[in-house]
Amino acid sequence: MVPPAATASTSVQGSPQTPASVGSPSAPAVKDPAKDTILTPRFYTTDFDAMAAMDLRPNEAELEAICEEFRKDYNRHHFVRNEEFEGAADKLDPQTRRVFVEFLEQSCTSEFSGFLLYKELSRRIKQKNPLLAECFAHMARDEARHAGFLNKSMADFGLQLDLGFLTANKAYTYFKPKFIFYATYLSEKIGYWRYIAIYRHLEKHPESKIFPIFNFFENWCQDENRHGDFFDALMKAQPDTVRGFTARLWCRFFLLAVFATMYVRDVARKEFYEALGLDAREYDKEVIIKTNETSARVFPVVLDVENPRFWIRLERLVRNNDSLSAVDAADGPAPIKALRKLPFWGANALEMAKLFLMAPIRSEAFQPAVR
Ligand SMILES: [Fe+2]
Ligand SMILES: [Fe+2]
C-alpha cells in the first residue's frame, strides 16, 4: 500500500536531509512519531489508474482556471523565517511548550500526509492526465512548504519529525478516488477555517500569540482554501460523486466522521487552545459550522449542526473517549483492558449511528444562491 516513490522523492524543507544529519550533536533530536490512534492524521493511497482515466471535460474550464491560480504561486516568498523566531521557544512555560509541540507535530504530520498523496498522484498520472497531474504537483509544493515550516518550528524546540521514517513506516489507508475527494476536500476546507479562526482571534488578542508561526496563518490558509476549491471543481467534473442517494449517504458519513474526530481530539487537547486564549469547544463549533456551510457549495447534503442534539451527542463521544483514555492509563493486562473498553466502544458506535441518522439538510435548500 505504500507508494514506493514517495519514500525516495521527499524533499521537504526542514526535514532531515540525510540520515547522517539526524541525531548528530548539532541536529535536533528526532521525535518519535505519536502513537497511531483513530484521532491521529492518516496517510492515504488510492486507485491511480482510475485517477489517470478521469474525464475532466464536464468542468475543465474551472479546473484550468484553478491550475492557473496555482501556477502564480502566491506564497512563493511567504514561508521565510524571520528574527521573531529567535528565542521564541524559550519563552514558553513547560506546560504550554508540551501542548504546543503536540500541535506542531500533529499539524506537520497532516500537512506532510497531503504532500505525499498529492506528490504520488501527480507522478503516477502525469502521462495520462496532465492537467490533473499539474494541479496535484502545485498542491504538493504547497504542502511541502507547510510541513517544512512546521518542522522548522519543531526544531526550535530541539525536536524534529523524521519525515522519511514516517513515509516508510506509517500505515497507508486505501480509499477509492471519490472517498479521497470527500476526505481531502473536507480536510482542506476545515484546515482553512481552523487556521483563519486562530489568526483572527490572535489579531484581536496579540497577547495570546505564543509563537510567531501564527503570523503566517493568513496567507497559509489561502493555500488550503485554494486546495479545497480544487477538489470542489474536481467533484463537479465527476458529478456522480455528488449526485444521487449513495453520494448523499457518503457525504453525510464523511462530514460526520471529520467533525466528530476533530471535536473529540480538540476537546482532549483543550490546554493548547487555552494557551491561545481560546475555548476548544467554542473554537470547534465555529470551525464546524463554517465548514458545514462551505461544504453545501458542493456536497448534496450537509449536517444539521444548528440542532442542539448534534452537540449533545458529540459531548457524549467526548465523555466516552475520556473513559477509554482512563482505561488505557490504568494498569492491567491488555485483554482485561479491552474488555473494560468494550462498553465505551459500543456507546460510541451507538452515538455515531444516532448522529448519522439525524436528518441532514439538502444543500440546495441551505444555499440556493450558490447552487
Ligand atoms: Fe497545507
Ligand atoms: Fe492543503
Side-chain angles (χ1 to χ4, degrees):
M1 301 277 263
V2 179
T7 322
S9 61
T10 50
S11 59
V12 174
Q13 288 175 0
S15 70
Q17 294 301 313
T18 60
S21 73
V22 173
S24 66
S26 58
V30 178
K31 164 101 178 52
D32 281 337
K35 200 178 106 209
D36 262 338
T37 69
I38 199 163
L39 302 177
T40 49
R42 261 151 221 287
F43 284 19
Y44 296 104
T45 183
T46 189
D47 181 345
F48 297 103
D49 294 332
M51 283 277 195
M54 218 156 259
D55 180 7
L56 305 179
R57 278 173 299 180
N59 200 21
E60 199 165 11
E62 192 185 358
L63 282 164
E64 183 52 63
I66 288 174
C67 196
E68 187 51 37
E69 286 287 289
F70 284 157
R71 287 182 196 122
K72 289 187 182 130
D73 195 2
Y74 295 106
N75 283 336
R76 183 194 304 254
H77 303 298
H78 180 61
F79 293 96
V80 180
R81 283 161 57 91
N82 53 24
E83 63 288 347
E84 281 185 275
F85 284 87
E86 280 163 32
D90 303 330
K91 292 183 191 145
L92 300 189
D93 61 72
Q95 160 73 1
T96 314
R97 194 182 167 96
R98 188 182 59 78
V99 292
F100 183 59
V101 168
E102 244 175 59
F103 163 79
L104 290 175
E105 180 182 5
Q106 186 122 39
S107 308
C108 183
T109 310
S110 67
E111 297 279 9
F112 187 64
S113 132
F115 161 74
L116 281 183
L117 175 69
Y118 300 158
K119 177 91 191 158
E120 191 59 12
L121 270 164
S122 85
R123 194 184 71 84
R124 297 271 202 110
I125 67 175
K126 206 172 187 158
Q127 302 305 330
K128 290 194 181 141
N129 209 330
L131 174 61
L132 212 50
E134 187 185 344
C135 289
F136 281 121
H138 291 311
M139 294 198 297
R141 165 204 73 201
D142 295 341
E143 306 300 15
R145 264 182 206 145
H146 303 165
F149 202 65
L150 285 156
N151 214 7
K152 279 186 181 164
S153 286
M154 287 193 67
D156 292 337
F157 294 87
L159 292 165
Q160 194 140 63
L161 267 189
D162 184 346
L163 301 177
F165 176 84
L166 218 54
T167 308
N169 293 285
K170 223 168 132 78
Y172 284 72
T173 306
Y174 173 87
F175 268 174
K176 278 208 262 188
K178 70 168 177 178
F179 300 140
I180 290 279
F181 298 167
Y182 303 144
T184 44
Y185 168 78
L186 283 173
S187 94
E188 296 292 358
K189 285 296 180 187
I190 220 164
Y192 165 74
W193 286 112
R194 286 174 69 80
Y195 285 147
I196 198 68
I198 290 181
Y199 182 82
R200 286 186 187 146
H201 163 79
L202 292 178
E203 237 182 352
K204 281 188 227 135
H205 303 277
E207 71 285 357
S208 298
K209 199 183 286 167
I210 58 172
F211 203 69
I213 199 164
F214 298 112
N215 292 331
F216 291 78
F217 274 23
E218 193 181 25
N219 293 34
W220 187 328
C221 78
Q222 294 307 332
D223 282 342
E224 312 305 5
N225 203 25
R226 279 186 285 270
H227 299 170
D229 289 343
F230 162 78
F231 284 106
D232 175 316
L234 188 52
M235 285 187 271
K236 285 173 181 154
Q238 297 281 304
D240 284 344
T241 57
V242 283
R243 206 164 50 187
F245 180 70
T246 325
R248 289 201 294 277
L249 287 182
W250 281 117
C251 289
R252 276 163 75 179
F253 173 79
F254 274 87
L255 282 161
L256 177 60
V258 168
F259 292 163
T261 312
M262 179 180 86
Y263 193 82
V264 171
R265 188 194 61 207
D266 285 351
V267 174
R269 288 193 310 171
K270 60 180 187 306
E271 292 83 3
F272 166 69
Y273 297 92
E274 276 163 14
L276 299 183
L278 281 163
D279 176 89
R281 287 181 167 85
E282 290 303 313
Y283 168 76
D284 269 42
K285 205 167 175 175
E286 182 189 337
V287 171
I288 288 174
I289 289 172
K290 293 288 191 191
T291 309
N292 195 54
E293 198 179 301
T294 306
S295 306
R297 289 165 182 257
V298 60
F299 284 179
V301 284
V302 288
L303 303 185
D304 184 9
V305 297
E306 299 296 335
N307 188 334
R309 276 180 301 161
F310 179 79
W311 303 101
I312 292 171
R313 288 180 177 144
L314 286 188
E315 279 304 320
R316 289 188 192 141
L317 293 177
V318 168
R319 277 206 304 276
N320 290 334
N321 194 54
D322 285 346
S323 308
L324 287 168
S325 307
V327 175
D328 258 334
D331 291 329
I336 301 290
K337 279 189 178 184
L339 262 180
R340 289 180 55 204
K341 282 180 176 178
L342 217 54
F344 303 113
W345 281 329
N348 266 350
L350 188 67
E351 283 312 324
M352 282 301 276
K354 284 184 186 164
L355 279 160
F356 181 73
L357 292 171
M358 282 176 72
I361 300 176
R362 292 293 276 255
S363 298
E364 60 264 33
F366 189 79
Q367 279 204 337
V370 223
R371 300 174 71 89

